[in-house]
Amino acid sequence: MSKRLKHRLRSVAVVAALLILPQVVQERYFLHIVVMAGIYTIMTMSWNLLAGYSGQLNLGHAAFFGIGAYSSALLAMKLGVSPWFGLLGGGVIAGFFGFLLGFPALRLSGPYLAITTIGFAEILRLVAVNWVDLTRGSLGLSGIPLLTPIRLGSWGMEFYFERDYYYVVLAAVVFTYFCMLRFTHSEFGVSLQALRDDEQGAQSIGIHTSQYKLAVFTISAFFAGMAGGLFAHFTRLVSPDTMSLHVTFDTLTMTMIGGLGTTAGPILGAVLLSLLSEWLRTLEDFFRMDIRLVLYGFLLILTIRFMREGLVGVVRALKEGFSSYGKGRNAGGDHD
Amino acid sequence: MAKAGTPVAIMTEILKIENLTKYFGGLCAVDSVSFSLDEKVIMGLIGPNGAGKTTLVNMISGAIPPNHGRILFNGTDIAGHKAHAINNRGIARTFQVVRIFSKLTALENVMAGLVDRRQKGPWRLAFASLVGGFGKQSQNPENRAAAEGLLELVGIGGYRDELAENLPYALTKRLEIARALATRPKLLLLDEPSSGLNPAELVDQIALIREINKQGITILIIEHVMKVIMDISDRLVVIHYGKKIADGKPEAVYTDPNVVEAYLGGESHAAR
Ligand SMILES: Nc1ncnc2c1ncn2[C@@H]1O[C@H](COP(=O)(O)OP(=O)(O)O)[C@@H](O)[C@H]1O
Ligand SMILES: [Mg+2]
């Protein structure tokens, strides 16, 4: 009970700190980075559900991000749909594409699935480049509308500044986190992990693995699409680059370094690497190259080689180390 | 007990296999095998290595489709049905080489089996996980208790929170039995559950299989260890090069000249 209370209190403290952050640090550039980190957090959490919990190595996640970004931008620009519904619409459309990408996953796995999903994203990127009438090609869509103001009686909120978007993205991150927590810690999540660990074993206990794969591809794509929509209305510029492999690679790197298949890993990875890569950018002039990628690659190798559960694994090991150290001392005390 | 004058309960056939055949390329791994199995019986399935026993179980459980023949389970032909659908109908199995969920705990392995999958597909479970009450649903108390009960039954209750990948091999075989039982089967297929067990563990194993059978579950067991199979089978079927060569009471089958020939003539692997 007291442990649970402690847990609750800690959650409340974290949320409170996040809520007052933009009041404390008002520098817009910093808040821009934090908002982008939040958007990436939604990407990593959704990719983690697919790759970490279900074992489906999807390397086309950027496609869902891009589809969400384009859909939500175009819904607002061409059809005049409120961006708020556009966010949802972008998620739903991305979810539909996720469902479609689920079908090859029924027959393929491992590297074959990975390559197929890269191809899928690449095709969609080329569509975005070439369908100039709709997407304005490689120029991209610009002048995407801001999120429309919210009014509740006398209270209102407008969306001009990073600070305002910060709260929207924070809400989306918390919502996504809550959903992922529920998904993974339920009969649904146990079933996904079962099919990840042994597909034939899962089928032998009645798990309709094909349906689960389609469902998890759809769900994961929905959240990635929502992240794309937030990105579109925040940066107000969407280009085919949103679907390029480097977006997937960033997502993958953040998730793996944070801790694949863990609850906190994707958040930890996305936030730390986003901040780190901004800092590294300032060193670019000094190194005269993109030091970022070198470091990412290095960290990734370290993670895969030594710590499969990433930073979460490191923290866990340290905690266990401390507690067993404590126990060791206690045992010694008993001896006396 | 049946009253005097009333007929003894008629045995009902739970499984009937007709001319079941499987080719792997040119190799006929199972060659027109037929037998039927009455409810609540323990049937042993033996034969030298490579005889086709696992292939037979794979077809009954839906892991692979047969080329010919029928598999009637409670009167319905399930030949070629998908593995998950066959499990939903009430057939569960274990594997010769274990297929446990290595990154889940022993308890979670069993709980994965407990989900009522006839009623709940992924969409419904995903939705339920979002709107359900707070707290971890994978640990809802009823399921948890049931899962713990099954782990106790197979004798690994003390390992419930251990990751399956950390269990010794012999215990993973038992975990697989618990997981299979979690799906509430009417027919349980066991593929060499005793391989790698020491003599003391074999005694436990025999008791466990008897106990499962006592709960009304029909059992088809593939076994290399003769002591186990002779001890617990009500009936024994022998296959050799994919063909059925003997079928009957264990004692009768054991002395059948065809069987003796098969074991002594071929690689006499199982003739202990
Ligand atoms: N998936 C497969 N592909 C090709 N041949 C197989 C396959 N599975 C089994 N076999 C072959 O079928 C025969 C029967 O194998 P199996 O059923 O595993 O025998 P048993 O379980 O009686 O030892 C063997 O010759 C084996 O090599
Ligand atoms: Mg075998």
Side-chain angles (χ1 to χ4, degrees):
Chain A
M1 265 295 126
S2 84
K3 194 176 169 187
R4 193 162 158 187
L5 188 69
K6 221 164 105 183
H7 196 81
R8 284 266 159 90
L9 282 177
R10 200 166 55 189
S11 307
V12 169
V14 168
V15 171
L18 287 171
L19 281 176
I20 59 166
L21 178 75
Q23 316 300 333
V24 178
V25 188
Q26 298 192 342
E27 199 194 332
R28 289 181 60 183
Y29 179 64
F30 176 74
L31 285 176
H32 180 93
I33 294 164
V34 174
V35 170
M36 286 306 297
I39 290 173
Y40 257 111
T41 305
I42 301 175
M43 285 293 280
T44 52
M45 285 194 284
S46 62
W47 190 74
N48 187 42
L49 183 70
L50 201 47
Y53 284 95
S54 321
Q56 306 299 305
L57 187 52
N58 168 30
L59 295 185
H61 215 54
F64 303 141
F65 184 73
I67 290 168
Y70 273 106
S71 305
S72 132
L74 288 170
L75 282 172
M77 294 167 77
K78 305 255 168 181
L79 302 178
V81 175
S82 154
W84 295 102
F85 289 110
L87 289 178
L88 203 65
V92 170
I93 295 171
F96 175 70
F97 277 87
F99 180 73
L100 294 183
L101 188 58
F103 282 93
L106 304 185
R107 306 205 141 264
L108 306 172
S109 62
Y112 301 100
L113 178 63
I115 288 167
T116 306
T117 55
I118 291 177
F120 166 82
E122 198 53 16
I123 289 168
L124 284 168
R125 192 182 67 82
L126 291 174
V127 169
V129 171
N130 290 300
W131 194 352
V132 179
D133 289 346
L134 187 70
T135 63
R136 302 210 321 155
S138 40
L139 281 177
L141 297 169
S142 54
I144 298 166
L146 292 166
L147 288 172
T148 46
I150 307 176
R151 295 202 190 291
L152 287 173
S154 61
W155 181 84
M157 190 167 178
E158 301 196 344
F159 297 91
Y160 291 120
F161 299 111
E162 286 77 7
R163 185 192 58 212
D164 313 319
Y165 278 88
Y166 173 90
Y167 287 110
V168 177
V169 170
L170 180 62
V173 168
V174 170
F175 171 70
T176 308
Y177 175 74
F178 170 83
C179 291
M180 295 299 154
L181 201 62
R182 287 307 191 83
F183 287 147
T184 52
H185 291 79
S186 67
E187 291 178 335
F188 179 61
V190 167
S191 308
L192 292 177
Q193 293 173 77
L195 92 84
R196 171 197 67 194
D197 286 355
D198 197 308
E199 200 161 333
Q200 226 184 307
Q203 288 163 353
S204 82
I205 56 164
I207 298 179
H208 195 333
T209 51
S210 309
Q211 279 185 3
Y212 276 85
K213 284 184 193 175
L214 292 178
V216 75
F217 262 94
T218 309
I219 292 171
S220 170
F222 170 84
F223 286 95
M226 213 175 58
L230 288 168
F231 174 82
H233 293 290
F234 176 58
T235 64
R236 308 184 65 194
L237 178 79
V238 176
S239 78
D241 278 351
T242 51
M243 301 200 204
S244 65
L245 189 58
H246 85 82
V247 174
T248 300
F249 183 71
D250 282 351
T251 305
L252 174 151
T253 310
M254 290 168 172
T255 313
M256 304 265 300
I257 291 174
L260 185 67
T262 64
T263 316
I267 303 178
L268 216 56
V271 171
L272 289 181
L273 286 199
S274 294
L275 298 180
L276 183 68
S277 71
E278 279 312 313
W279 179 68
L280 289 174
R281 192 167 293 186
T282 62
L283 302 181
E284 232 165 72
D285 290 338
F286 178 73
F287 286 105
R288 292 169 183 279
M289 62 183 236
D290 196 350
I291 185 79
R292 219 168 56 100
L293 290 181
V294 179
L295 190 78
Y296 276 20
F298 179 67
L299 286 176
L300 206 52
I301 291 169
L302 276 186
T303 304
I304 292 168
R305 181 70 187 78
F306 296 108
M307 209 69 224
R308 281 292 169 88
E309 290 198 313
L311 293 172
V312 168
V314 173
V315 171
R316 208 173 277 162
L318 285 177
K319 262 189 187 164
E320 266 165 31
F322 281 132
S323 66
S324 65
Y325 177 68
K327 267 182 211 148
R329 280 169 56 110
N330 277 348
D334 285 345
H335 237 63
D336 297 338
Chain B
M1 285 288 110
K3 274 185 259 166
T6 59
V8 183
I10 297 163
M11 289 279 218
T12 46
E13 212 169 63
I14 187 168
L15 184 74
K16 186 179 172 72
I17 283 173
E18 294 174 356
N19 303 318
L20 207 59
T21 302
K22 182 72 193 182
Y23 288 96
F24 291 116
L27 173 85
C28 192
V30 172
D31 190 355
S32 202
V33 169
S34 304
F35 61 79
S36 63
L37 181 54
D38 287 328
E39 244 178 0
K40 304 197 171 99
V41 162
I42 300 181
M43 186 186 111
L45 179 62
I46 62 169
N49 244 351
K53 305 178 297 291
T54 297
T55 306
L56 194 59
V57 161
N58 280 345
M59 287 190 283
I60 299 171
S61 65
I64 58 174
N67 292 106
H68 304 291
R70 302 209 297 167
I71 303 167
L72 299 169
F73 179 60
N74 284 326
T76 316
D77 188 5
I78 56 164
H81 286 201
K82 295 267 175 59
H84 68 87
I86 288 177
N87 176 260
N88 290 165
R89 279 181 181 274
I91 302 180
R93 70 170 296 182
T94 65
F95 295 87
Q96 183 172 352
V97 179
V98 290
R99 288 184 168 279
I100 42 156
F101 309 134
S102 51
K103 300 282 178 196
L104 293 179
T105 64
L107 192 72
E108 286 168 331
N109 265 267
V110 178
M111 290 179 87
L114 277 168
V115 179
D116 180 10
R117 303 189 186 277
R118 295 175 191 91
Q119 305 293 326
K120 301 180 202 159
W123 288 106
R124 195 160 148 196
L125 287 185
F127 185 70
S129 73
L130 291 184
V131 300
F134 280 91
K136 294 184 173 180
Q137 283 138 67
S138 66
Q139 309 201 338
N140 96 47
E142 280 163 48
N143 271 3
R144 212 189 149 87
E148 280 169 359
L150 284 167
L151 287 177
E152 293 293 342
L153 176 71
V154 302
I156 55 172
Y159 293 87
R160 63 176 196 197
D161 293 324
E162 198 67 55
L163 287 186
E165 66 182 353
N166 295 337
L167 295 181
Y169 189 72
L171 300 191
T172 60
K173 298 218 95 165
R174 297 209 209 160
L175 176 59
E176 241 191 9
I177 295 177
R179 184 183 73 178
L181 289 174
T183 66
R184 304 170 192 89
K186 298 186 196 77
L187 170 63
L188 180 62
L189 314 171
L190 300 170
D191 195 348
E192 300 198 17
S194 312
S195 62
L197 299 191
N198 66 36
E201 289 167 337
L202 280 182
V203 174
D204 287 349
Q205 181 86 312
I206 292 170
L208 171 62
I209 293 169
R210 286 231 170 83
E211 174 61 33
I212 294 168
N213 182 240
K214 224 183 276 168
Q215 297 179 1
I217 297 172
T218 312
I219 293 174
L220 192 163
I221 174 173
I222 297 177
E223 196 45 86
H224 261 149
V225 184
M226 277 299 167
K227 173 178 158 29
V228 176
I229 208 86
M230 294 304 289
D231 207 354
I232 59 173
S233 305
D234 300 314
R235 167 147 163 251
L236 209 50
V237 165
V238 188
I239 58 173
H240 186 40
Y241 289 123
K243 289 199 173 70
K244 185 168 100 171
I245 57 167
D247 183 345
K249 289 257 169 243
E251 311 78 48
V253 166
Y254 199 57
T255 52
D256 186 313
N258 279 335
V259 176
V260 174
E261 165 75 10
Y263 273 102
L264 297 180
E267 329 129 57
S268 57
H269 188 115
R272 305 186 197 181

